[in-house]
């Protein structure tokens, strides 16, 4: 029995959009960890009654695959730990080289609050103000 089947089961009769996206995400994670369950993904996809909900299922599946790939590349945790972290936990795996180090508190200078205050002092209505020669 796969991790997905143990966690979610496959004996559902109907799915709401939230449960469908959760399951699609989990199938994406499981696939990156070597457990394929395309029949379940296709059944979830077929259960969705609108193009919007179908696209949400596709996005959730892709997100699960991508996050599992990134987690596997950036940590030495085994597959069971990755599954537990991605499905049950709230861990996010970040490559240490991608962590911002500039600016105040590691924020990029564009997000530094002192610069935001300076930008707010600029009158953004100048471009649409009445020309001075009409103020006579």
């Amino acid at each position: 029995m796969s991790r997905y089947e143990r966690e979610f089961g496959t004996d559902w009769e109907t799915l709401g959009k939230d449960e469908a996206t959760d399951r699609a995400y989990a199938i994406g994670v499981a696939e990156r960890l070597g457990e394929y369950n395309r029949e379940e993904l296709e059944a979830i996809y077929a259960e969705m009654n609108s193009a919007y909900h179908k696209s949400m299922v596709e996005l959730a599946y892709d997100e699960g695959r991508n996050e599992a790939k990134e987690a596997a590349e950036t940590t030495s945790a085994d597959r069971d730990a990755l599954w537990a972290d991605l499905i049950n936990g709230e861990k996010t795996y970040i490559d240490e080289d991608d962590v911002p180090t500039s600016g105040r508190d590691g924020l990029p200078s564009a997000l530094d609050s002192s610069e935001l205050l300076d930008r707010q002092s600029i009158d953004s209505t100048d471009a649409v103000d009445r020309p001075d020669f009409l103020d006579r």
Side-chain angles (χ1 to χ4, degrees):
M1 183 178 280
S2 71
R3 290 175 187 91
Y4 173 83
E5 290 169 342
R6 282 192 305 271
E7 183 82 23
F8 293 92
T10 57
D11 58 346
W12 53 270
E13 292 182 20
T14 61
L15 290 175
K17 64 180 174 83
D18 292 336
E19 187 177 358
T21 55
D22 289 346
R23 286 173 174 267
Y25 175 85
I27 290 171
V29 170
E31 188 171 295
R32 276 293 181 189
L33 298 178
E35 296 176 358
Y36 299 93
N37 200 343
R38 286 296 175 135
E39 297 83 23
E40 179 75 0
L41 180 62
E42 290 172 9
I44 292 169
Y45 186 77
E47 179 69 14
M48 298 295 97
N49 57 4
S50 73
Y52 173 75
H53 293 137
K54 288 180 181 188
S55 68
M56 293 304 292
V57 167
E58 290 174 10
L59 288 172
Y61 167 75
D62 290 339
E63 187 68 18
R65 285 179 46 86
N66 293 337
E67 286 187 12
K69 179 183 178 190
E70 184 177 332
E73 291 172 351
T74 60
T75 185
S76 61
D78 67 350
R79 291 177 182 205
D80 289 331
L82 287 175
W83 172 265
D85 289 345
L86 291 169
I87 300 304
N88 301 325
E90 293 295 322
K91 284 193 176 180
T92 302
Y93 294 91
I94 300 173
D95 187 359
E96 291 180 16
D97 297 331
D98 290 340
V99 176
T101 57
S102 64
R104 184 181 57 83
D105 299 327
L107 294 174
S109 60
L111 297 178
D112 191 351
S113 63
S114 63
E115 283 192 32
L116 290 175
L117 293 175
D118 291 342
R119 289 184 194 162
Q120 291 176 351
S121 65
I122 298 171
D123 185 8
S124 63
T125 62
D126 282 342
V128 293
D129 283 347
R130 187 168 40 175
D132 290 337
F133 70 88
L134 292 177
D135 285 337
R136 290 192 218 180

